[in-house]
């Protein structure tokens, strides 16, 4: 017992002596220790009216490595409690003015400290009743002075650990709920996105649908020599503007797809030259209307690239169309294809037109950018879409101009597939190939089955194809189409995808199963990649998105029929 007392007295802290032991007391309320990183430290509030006792508490607790905050009165403690949360409060009972018990009552009344552990320090050994009062006020523990440092440290350390674990759990719960909120926001955004996609696809379908009969009728009537020249000119303008309208719908949809990262490519190796010729032949009428000379310099030894042919044609078409649009009559448009270095193919579209001011050059590939807005009639989307397509192919597109009225040069560079091009023949300096003849009086009249339930479209296509030398039978449903093929032989199927009694691809599958092998072309107001892929998978030779021009239909029909020749 005697030795026990001795041991205990060694651990007792002489508060007066400890006052001298602290050589560099820190100013203000805060005492920091460096053993724990600042982020990990818990705040401990030490409340005592006497500096020497505060210093003693500080010294005992310093080795816990936490953040010790000092208060010299109950009211100072309450003020500090307003500013932050504490892991534990060490509170002297006997203080002048507001004593420890009164301070505890007020601490417990505040929401953020109603559960904070309080350890009372008392120099007087209070009666049981007194202690009971302290506990009823929320004391977690009582320590009688003189303090045994290890005991105070152990108790404070216990509450610090508890506090840190509770904080950790709170943080994890917060992270979980934040993740759930992210998740929820993403699901919401995805749902909104897909309904936007559906809406855009539907909108474009509905916008395109009525354009087909307008385009066909206007195109045909504009060539009808029985009509006065003025009327034919107006009809030409109607046909032209319908195509512009369709192009705007396509560009808007493409911009929406690009901004959502949804523009996908179907890559295949291709000779670049036919794609350029196709762009030139689409613009042939505009080129000749403005009396523009075309120089077609296809010098590349290796013109083979791995591309999505439809998308790259769209880029060439856009560049040639711009060259035509921005070059005054009697100017020149040059299309050049070279291999600037091994592994690359360069296509240049050069015009002698209005040129581009240097300050406008960096902006022209941004969506909705036009050097002089409204002047060209477009929306400023073509180059933005072209840039996205070229970059998706791993290529580059750039523009240069020596200034206003000094022409423009657009350059596309695409990775080349060397060695796959066969002969690698170049035809430098060749003039633009004339469009293939629209064979009206050929020896054999091909029989076409046209399946479309949109009366005006079916009528316009039948008229046009009829004048072009084809025999066209129209069916407005799958059922009627099936009856037609049983009664007559056909060379080609032109089939709308949305039919009253099913889908066009279902009709094609049915016909293929029954042994019919004629080529088929899908016609649809839906033109997304997935729609095109679905048509291809069903066995359609081509998917034509409405409204297509008579020239496009002409080319596609010829290609499909040639494929079977
Ligand atoms: P838009 O359909 O409005 O022509 P583009 O994205 O194709 O949109 O072109 C953006 C702008 O870049 C045009 O409005 C025009 O100001 C300028 N631009 C494009 N090509 C040429 C060109 N060959 N010559 C002069 N300016 C051009």
């Amino acid at each position: 017992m005697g030795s026990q007392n001795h041991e205990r007295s060694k651990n007792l802290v002489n508060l007066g002596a400890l006052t001298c032991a602290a050589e560099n007391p820190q100013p203000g309320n805060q005492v920091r220790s460096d053993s724990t990183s600042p982020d990990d430290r818990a705040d401990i509030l030490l409340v005592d009216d006497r500096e020497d006792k505060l210093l003693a508490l500080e010294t005992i607790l310093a080795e816990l490595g936490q953040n010790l905050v000092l208060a010299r009165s109950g009211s100072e403690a309450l003020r500090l409690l307003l500013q932050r949360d504490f892991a534990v409060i060490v509170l002297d009972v006997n203080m002048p003015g507001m004593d420890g018990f009164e301070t505890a009552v007020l601490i417990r009344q505040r929401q953020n400290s109603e559960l904070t552990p309080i350890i009372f320090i008392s120099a007087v050994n209070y009666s049981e009743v007194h202690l009971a009062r302290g506990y009823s006020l929320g004391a977690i523990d009582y320590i009688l002075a003189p303090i045994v440092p290890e005991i105070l440290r152990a108790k404070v350390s216990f509450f610090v650990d508890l506090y840190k674990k509770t904080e950790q759990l709170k943080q994890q719960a917060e992270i979980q709920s934040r993740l759930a909120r992210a998740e929820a926001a993403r699901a919401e955004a995805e749902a909104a996105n897909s309904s936007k996609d559906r809406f855009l696809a539907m909108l474009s379908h509905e916008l395109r649908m009525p354009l087909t009969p307008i385009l066909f009728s206007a195109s045909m009537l504009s060539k009808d020599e029985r009509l006065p020249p003025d009327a034919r000119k107006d009809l030409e303008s109607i046909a032209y503007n319908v195509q512009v309208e369709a192009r705007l719908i396509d560009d808007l949809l493409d911009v929406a797809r690009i901004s959502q990262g949804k523009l996908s490519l179907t890559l295949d190796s291709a000779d670049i030259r036919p794609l350029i010729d196709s762009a030139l032949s689409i613009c042939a009428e505009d080129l000749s209307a403005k009396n523009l000379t075309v120089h077609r310099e296809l010098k590349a030894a290796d013109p083979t690239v791995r591309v999505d042919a439809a998308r790259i044609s769209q880029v060439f078409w856009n560049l040639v169309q711009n060259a035509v649009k921005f070059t005054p009559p009697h100017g020149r448009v040059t299309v050049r294809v070279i291999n600037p270095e091994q592994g690359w193919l360069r296509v240049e579209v050069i015009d002698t037109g209005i040129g581009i001011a240097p300050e406008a050059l960096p902006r022209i590939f941004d969506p909705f950018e036009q050097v002089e807005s409204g002047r060209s009639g477009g929306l400023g989307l073509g180059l933005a879409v072209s840039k996205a397509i070229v970059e998706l192919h791993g290529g580059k597109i750039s523009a240069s101009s020596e200034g206003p009225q000094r022409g423009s040069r657009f350059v596309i560079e695409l990775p080349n597939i060397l060695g796959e091009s066969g002969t690698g023949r170049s035809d430098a300096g060749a003039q633009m190939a004339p469009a293939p003849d629209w064979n009206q009086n050929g020896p054999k009249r091909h029989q076409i089955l046209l399946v479309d339930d949109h009366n005006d479209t079916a009528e316009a296509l039948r008229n046009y194809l009829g004048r072009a030398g084809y025999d066209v039978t129209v069916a407005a449903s799958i059922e009627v189409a099936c009856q037609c093929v049983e009664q007559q032989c056909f060379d080609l199927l032109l089939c709308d995808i949305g039919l009253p009694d099913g889908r066009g691809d279902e009709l094609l599958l049915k016909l293929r199963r029954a042994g019919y092998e004629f080529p088929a072309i899908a016609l649809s107001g839906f033109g997304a990649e997935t729609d095109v892929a679905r048509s291809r998978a069903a066995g359609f030779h081509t998917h034509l998105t409405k409204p297509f021009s008579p020239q496009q239909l002409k080319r596609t029909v010829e290609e499909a029929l040639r494929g079977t020749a």
Side-chain angles (χ1 to χ4, degrees):
M1 185 72 180
S3 73
Q4 270 178 3
N5 277 344
H6 175 69
E7 276 305 306
R8 184 165 182 269
S9 65
K10 269 206 304 186
N11 289 334
L12 290 180
V13 173
N14 177 331
L15 296 180
L18 280 170
T19 312
C20 310
E23 285 175 10
N24 296 311
Q26 308 220 1
N29 297 99
Q30 209 115 324
V31 181
R32 291 198 179 276
S33 154
D34 291 333
S35 61
T36 313
S37 77
D39 288 344
D40 295 342
R41 278 196 286 239
D43 289 336
I44 301 170
L45 181 59
L46 309 179
V47 192
D48 204 308
D49 59 305
R50 282 179 49 183
E51 283 297 334
D52 56 340
K53 283 166 53 187
L54 269 182
L55 197 55
L57 290 173
E58 240 180 69
T59 311
I60 294 168
L61 297 176
E63 75 179 54
L64 294 181
Q66 306 304 319
N67 194 28
L68 305 176
V69 181
L70 312 182
R72 276 94 186 159
S73 66
S75 50
E76 193 182 356
L78 290 169
R79 191 168 46 77
L80 289 164
L81 275 159
L82 281 181
Q83 295 162 5
R84 63 177 104 174
D85 290 344
F86 289 92
V88 53
I89 303 165
V90 180
L91 181 58
D92 182 30
V93 173
N94 189 22
M95 291 188 292
M98 193 193 306
D99 71 12
F101 292 145
E102 287 161 339
T103 309
V105 172
L106 294 173
I107 288 174
R108 286 292 176 250
Q109 280 174 7
R110 295 192 176 162
Q111 206 187 345
N112 68 334
S113 57
E114 63 185 350
L115 297 172
T116 310
I118 300 174
I119 300 174
F120 280 120
I121 307 276
S122 170
V124 183
N125 198 351
Y126 286 105
S127 66
E128 299 269 310
V129 177
H130 211 102
L131 289 179
R133 181 170 169 233
Y135 281 113
S136 74
L137 291 177
I140 296 290
D141 215 335
Y142 255 109
I143 289 188
L144 266 182
I147 297 169
V148 182
E150 284 78 8
I151 293 179
L152 178 62
R153 264 200 300 271
K155 291 188 173 188
V156 170
S157 168
F158 170 80
F159 289 121
V160 166
D161 284 350
L162 191 69
Y163 175 80
K164 285 185 175 173
K165 280 186 184 127
T166 313
E167 284 301 298
Q168 235 172 31
L169 285 174
K170 266 199 241 166
Q171 270 172 20
Q172 275 164 8
E174 174 58 23
I175 290 169
Q176 293 293 345
S177 85
R178 224 181 297 151
L179 279 179
R181 282 202 302 272
E183 273 299 311
R186 204 180 56 183
E188 215 171 282
E190 273 171 10
N193 251 345
S194 71
S195 63
K196 193 170 81 185
D197 281 356
R198 275 198 305 278
F199 171 75
L200 281 175
M202 212 56 220
L203 179 72
S204 88
H205 179 266
E206 294 306 307
L207 289 173
R208 284 171 210 265
M209 197 51 98
L211 298 184
T212 308
I214 303 176
L215 181 57
F216 271 76
S217 303
S219 294
M220 275 186 333
L221 289 172
S222 71
K223 300 207 168 35
D224 190 333
E225 292 185 354
R226 290 168 303 177
L227 295 174
D230 278 1
R232 287 171 58 189
K233 221 169 166 36
D234 289 348
L235 287 159
E236 243 171 51
S237 147
I238 291 172
Y240 173 79
N241 283 294
V242 167
Q243 290 184 71
V244 171
E245 175 101 37
R247 184 80 230 139
L248 290 181
I249 297 170
D250 286 346
D251 282 352
L252 275 172
L253 281 175
D254 281 347
V255 164
R257 281 187 208 120
I258 289 163
S259 67
Q260 291 166 32
K262 281 194 180 165
L263 192 76
S264 57
L265 302 177
T266 310
L267 297 176
D268 219 334
S269 56
D271 186 332
I272 209 88
R273 293 170 301 189
L275 307 186
I276 288 171
D277 283 340
S278 146
L280 287 170
S281 78
I282 292 173
C283 300
E285 277 184 34
D286 297 334
L287 283 161
S288 66
K290 280 181 115 176
N291 260 319
L292 300 176
T293 318
V294 177
H295 282 270
R296 180 172 155 278
E297 302 174 12
L298 310 188
K299 292 177 182 169
D302 196 327
T304 318
V305 276
R306 195 168 160 72
V307 291
D308 184 317
R311 286 297 186 183
I312 285 294
S313 301
Q314 177 183 346
V315 174
F316 294 153
W317 179 29
N318 185 44
L319 295 190
V320 174
Q321 215 178 22
N322 277 349
V324 176
K325 191 157 65 173
F326 296 108
T327 304
H330 308 289
R332 193 177 60 239
V333 175
T334 305
V335 182
R336 185 177 294 145
V337 182
I338 52 167
N339 294 117
E341 57 182 289
Q342 200 181 358
W344 286 93
L345 188 80
R346 181 190 291 166
V347 179
E348 297 177 355
V349 179
I350 306 158
D351 63 61
T352 55
I354 62 166
I356 304 169
E359 62 276 11
L361 272 174
R363 291 185 281 112
I364 58 170
F365 291 101
D366 295 341
F368 304 106
E369 274 300 334
Q370 295 180 312
V371 176
E372 281 177 44
S373 64
R375 186 184 56 176
S376 69
L379 277 184
L381 294 177
L383 288 180
V385 172
S386 298
K387 182 170 188 273
I389 292 173
V390 170
E391 287 177 354
L392 264 180
H393 281 84
K396 292 174 272 189
I397 184 167
S398 59
S400 60
S401 168
E402 285 177 17
Q405 309 311 325
R406 305 192 61 184
S408 307
R409 171 194 297 251
F410 285 81
V411 177
I412 294 171
E413 292 192 298
L414 292 167
N416 210 197
I417 319 173
L418 285 172
E420 284 189 27
S421 65
T423 61
R425 182 181 58 86
S426 82
D427 58 352
Q431 287 301 302
M432 191 181 125
D437 274 347
W438 187 228
N439 182 7
Q440 299 201 18
N441 305 310
K444 181 185 175 224
R445 284 177 75 89
H446 285 113
Q447 303 296 314
I448 296 179
L449 175 59
L450 169 63
V451 190
D452 199 323
D453 64 319
H454 193 268
N455 273 342
D456 293 345
T457 302
E459 200 46 33
L461 295 185
R462 198 169 65 89
N463 278 343
Y464 181 71
L465 291 166
R467 286 195 196 188
Y470 294 98
D471 286 338
V472 181
T473 304
V474 175
S477 66
I478 290 182
E479 194 189 339
V480 177
C482 289
Q483 287 164 7
C484 291
V485 293
E486 279 168 20
Q487 292 159 12
Q488 197 186 326
C489 285
F490 289 100
D491 301 301
L492 178 72
L493 171 72
L494 278 177
C495 186
D496 187 34
I497 292 296
L499 293 166
D501 52 350
R503 291 179 51 91
D505 37 6
E506 288 161 12
L507 168 63
L508 186 61
L509 285 175
K510 215 169 167 172
L511 293 175
R512 291 283 186 258
R513 264 189 230 120
Y516 295 99
E517 286 179 351
F518 41 70
I521 296 168
L523 313 174
S524 173
F526 291 105
E529 273 88 0
T530 44
D531 302 310
V532 177
R534 190 167 170 169
S535 295
R536 286 269 164 86
F540 282 104
H541 173 270
T542 309
H543 178 108
L544 274 182
T545 306
K546 292 176 184 176
F548 38 83
S549 66
Q551 289 89 338
Q552 268 174 291
L553 179 68
K554 176 182 78 174
R555 254 199 326 277
T556 313
V557 165
E558 280 176 352
E559 274 170 20
L561 287 171
R562 244 199 321 266
T564 59

